[in-house]
Amino acid sequence: MTQTGIRLAVSTVIFSLRRHGGDTRPTVVLPLVRRTRDPHEGRWALPGGWLGAEENLEVAASRTLRETTDLSPSYLEQLYAFGDADRSPSRVVSIVYWALVREDISRTASPHNVAWFDATALPRLAFDHNQIVEYALWRLRNKVGYSRIAHGLLDDEFSLAELREVYEAILDRRLDPANFRRQVENSGTLIPTEAFRTGSHRPARLYRYNHDVELADRGPLPHRVFLKEPS
Amino acid sequence: MTQTGIRLAVSTVIFSLRRHGGDTRPTVVLPLVRRTRDPHEGRWALPGGWLGAEENLEVAASRTLRETTDLSPSYLEQLYAFGDADRSPSRVVSIVYWALVREDISRTASPHNVAWFDATALPRLAFDHNQIVEYALWRLRNKVGYSRIAHGLLDDEFSLAELREVYEAILDRRLDPANFRRQVENSGTLIPTEAFRTGSHRPARLYRYNHDVELADRGPLPHRVFLKEPS
């Protein structure tokens, strides 16, 4: 059977954290690319592109993300396939991935047509991309509760206050520091190191994730994509 | 940009329960369709077909499932897009849905080239369909823990023993009846009715799901697919 007129694209929602000016609390941000052609010329859109004829899905997601934003995340996960017949003037099914990058990486210079936006204060985007970001945020918020997903936004070693800030940014609410400490200490997912964060505050012990703990959210797929070893 | 040679299919993994012969404990089963043409002629495969040019993804999943198996589930959820370049002799990206049907519906006559298989004892299937079923089972097992997904396999009213049997079939292990009762009673997701199941055993009170409880796994997508009202 032939199938005409349906094209396959891949796009990626890649979240990072950003501290704005005097505000030391980070917020969740993502990069968007300004479209230079119709449809939706001038609108902001998710980084992405067409699937190559011989290309695996996650390789296409990684390639198009790199080509549009210069970003190379260590971890990509498939989010959802968006395929409503009316989501674009021509028929395009978009398979969307999501990823996280640390703030120091997302702060490196972006190509001139790329800008970072607060995830919860987006303009009207091209196509159904507002809906896609909303879904990715929902997945991120659900996932942070039962996985080490916050690791993708942190250095290898981090203080409990830094980890809590990541949770607060993702969940968009304040968490009680004592409760948070108790919960992560009881979870068995963190290992204390001998290092301390020093600065204007009392020195804070640094932790790292315990990679021996099996996480429930990885799934059995061999293509669960670690393009590089998680850094 | 043109894109040649990539076709889009939809397939559905639809689980049900089956009690075999003298064994009263149900097991998880799914319907497969015997392929009548190459590639993989004669092998069993998931029900599915090609995405129509003007057709939304979930509509295509529902249509192809009905055309191949006569089944019309009340609930379909997108599972994953499988798109490895080498998964088929020609390039096919399959967007896979999953669904549940009650045993009484799955026991109605199937078309002659359809058969029901134990989910954990499948033959070698066409394409990467063994891997797809494995992933769908993993999703089902994860999801049953924090949602009312078991409802899709039960009548509107059910005893706690019947609910526990569903959990045991999905998780493929026995659960302690007293612990199970305590957990579901504490969850707030069940409402006791005034009806009782009578038969060879002591009469057992029937329950129904509390649809006022918001479940965390529904997500914000408007196309979260209830093709019909859940029955």
Side-chain angles (χ1 to χ4, degrees):
Chain A
M1 177 176 164
T2 58
Q3 189 178 47
T4 54
I6 304 180
R7 288 181 298 168
L8 251 168
V10 293
S11 295
T12 301
V13 184
I14 179 163
F15 292 120
S16 190
L17 296 180
R18 191 63 50 95
R19 287 171 176 78
H20 298 281
D23 188 358
T24 59
R25 299 196 165 269
T27 55
V28 176
V29 293
L30 75 162
L32 296 170
V33 183
R34 193 189 285 275
R35 288 184 59 82
T36 56
R37 69 186 71 180
D38 269 328
H40 300 304
E41 182 178 348
R43 283 245 174 94
W44 296 94
L46 291 169
W50 301 111
L51 175 65
E54 309 282 340
E55 199 174 36
N56 284 0
L57 297 176
E58 65 275 8
V59 173
S62 177
R63 171 185 60 78
T64 57
L65 183 65
R66 192 177 59 246
E67 289 175 355
T68 52
T69 66
D70 284 346
L71 292 167
S72 297
S74 57
Y75 177 73
L76 272 178
E77 183 179 308
Q78 196 185 103
L79 178 71
Y80 204 78
F82 292 81
D84 280 3
D86 61 359
R87 62 184 293 276
S88 170
S90 63
R91 185 76 199 268
V92 179
V93 173
S94 282
I95 298 175
V96 179
Y97 282 76
W98 72 296
L100 302 172
V101 288
R102 296 202 316 263
E103 183 171 1
D104 56 320
I105 291 171
S106 72
R107 277 194 177 279
T108 57
S110 297
H112 76 281
N113 58 335
V114 172
W116 290 79
F117 290 80
D118 270 15
T120 56
L122 295 178
R124 168 127 185 248
L125 306 182
F127 309 109
D128 52 358
H129 290 191
N130 289 93
Q131 186 193 16
I132 293 175
V133 173
E134 186 193 358
Y135 185 58
L137 264 177
W138 177 82
R139 179 80 67 96
L140 174 65
R141 285 172 181 153
N142 270 277
K143 201 144 194 177
V144 76
Y146 62 94
S147 76
R148 67 166 75 96
I149 200 77
H151 185 42
L153 297 167
L154 288 164
D155 288 334
D156 279 350
E157 301 190 345
F158 45 84
S159 70
L160 290 185
E162 289 163 354
L163 181 64
R164 178 169 46 80
E165 280 185 349
V166 172
Y167 274 75
E168 290 178 337
I170 291 172
L171 300 173
D172 201 18
R173 60 185 170 88
R174 302 288 286 273
L175 301 171
D176 178 71
N179 278 342
F180 182 81
R181 169 183 293 270
R182 192 160 45 240
Q183 281 179 16
V184 296
E185 284 179 346
N186 289 343
S187 71
T189 57
L190 294 189
I191 296 174
T193 72
E194 295 307 312
F196 288 81
R197 180 83 69 221
T198 55
S200 56
H201 295 287
R202 198 162 54 122
R205 183 181 292 278
L206 298 185
Y207 292 76
R208 61 183 176 80
Y209 270 105
N210 180 0
H211 288 284
D212 294 338
V213 176
E214 190 54 55
L215 292 173
D217 62 333
R218 190 59 51 79
L221 288 184
H223 281 287
R224 205 40 61 129
V225 188
F226 279 102
L227 299 164
K228 305 181 295 192
E229 277 302 295
S231 58
Chain B
M1 177 175 162
T2 60
Q3 187 179 48
T4 55
I6 304 180
R7 286 181 301 169
L8 251 168
V10 292
S11 295
T12 301
V13 184
I14 179 163
F15 292 120
S16 189
L17 297 180
R18 191 62 50 93
R19 286 170 175 79
H20 298 283
D23 187 0
T24 58
R25 297 196 165 270
T27 55
V28 176
V29 293
L30 75 163
L32 296 170
V33 184
R34 192 189 286 276
R35 289 183 59 81
T36 57
R37 66 186 71 178
D38 269 329
H40 300 304
E41 183 179 348
R43 284 244 175 95
W44 296 93
L46 292 168
W50 301 112
L51 175 65
E54 310 281 338
E55 200 175 35
N56 284 1
L57 298 175
E58 65 275 8
V59 173
S62 177
R63 171 185 59 80
T64 58
L65 183 65
R66 191 176 59 245
E67 289 174 358
T68 53
T69 67
D70 284 345
L71 293 167
S72 297
S74 58
Y75 177 73
L76 273 177
E77 182 180 308
Q78 196 184 103
L79 178 71
Y80 203 79
F82 293 81
D84 280 3
D86 61 359
R87 62 184 293 276
S88 171
S90 64
R91 184 74 199 270
V92 179
V93 173
S94 283
I95 297 174
V96 179
Y97 283 75
W98 72 296
L100 303 172
V101 287
R102 296 201 316 262
E103 183 171 1
D104 56 319
I105 291 171
S106 72
R107 277 194 177 281
T108 57
S110 297
H112 76 282
N113 58 335
V114 171
W116 291 78
F117 290 80
D118 270 16
T120 56
L122 295 178
R124 167 125 185 250
L125 305 182
F127 309 110
D128 52 358
H129 290 192
N130 288 95
Q131 185 194 16
I132 292 175
V133 173
E134 186 193 357
Y135 185 59
L137 265 177
W138 176 83
R139 180 80 67 98
L140 174 64
R141 286 172 179 153
N142 270 276
K143 200 143 194 178
V144 78
Y146 61 93
S147 77
R148 67 166 75 95
I149 200 77
H151 184 43
L153 297 167
L154 288 164
D155 287 335
D156 278 351
E157 301 191 346
F158 45 84
S159 70
L160 290 184
E162 288 163 354
L163 181 63
R164 176 168 48 80
E165 280 186 350
V166 172
Y167 274 75
E168 289 178 337
I170 290 173
L171 299 173
D172 201 16
R173 61 187 168 85
R174 302 289 286 273
L175 300 172
D176 179 72
N179 278 342
F180 182 79
R181 170 183 291 271
R182 194 160 43 240
Q183 281 177 17
V184 296
E185 285 179 346
N186 289 342
S187 71
T189 57
L190 294 189
I191 295 174
T193 73
E194 295 307 312
F196 288 81
R197 180 83 70 222
T198 54
S200 55
H201 295 285
R202 197 163 55 123
R205 184 181 292 278
L206 298 184
Y207 292 76
R208 60 180 176 82
Y209 270 104
N210 179 1
H211 288 283
D212 294 337
V213 175
E214 191 53 55
L215 292 172
D217 62 334
R218 189 58 51 78
L221 287 184
H223 282 286
R224 205 42 60 132
V225 189
F226 278 101
L227 299 164
K228 305 181 295 192
E229 276 303 292
S231 59

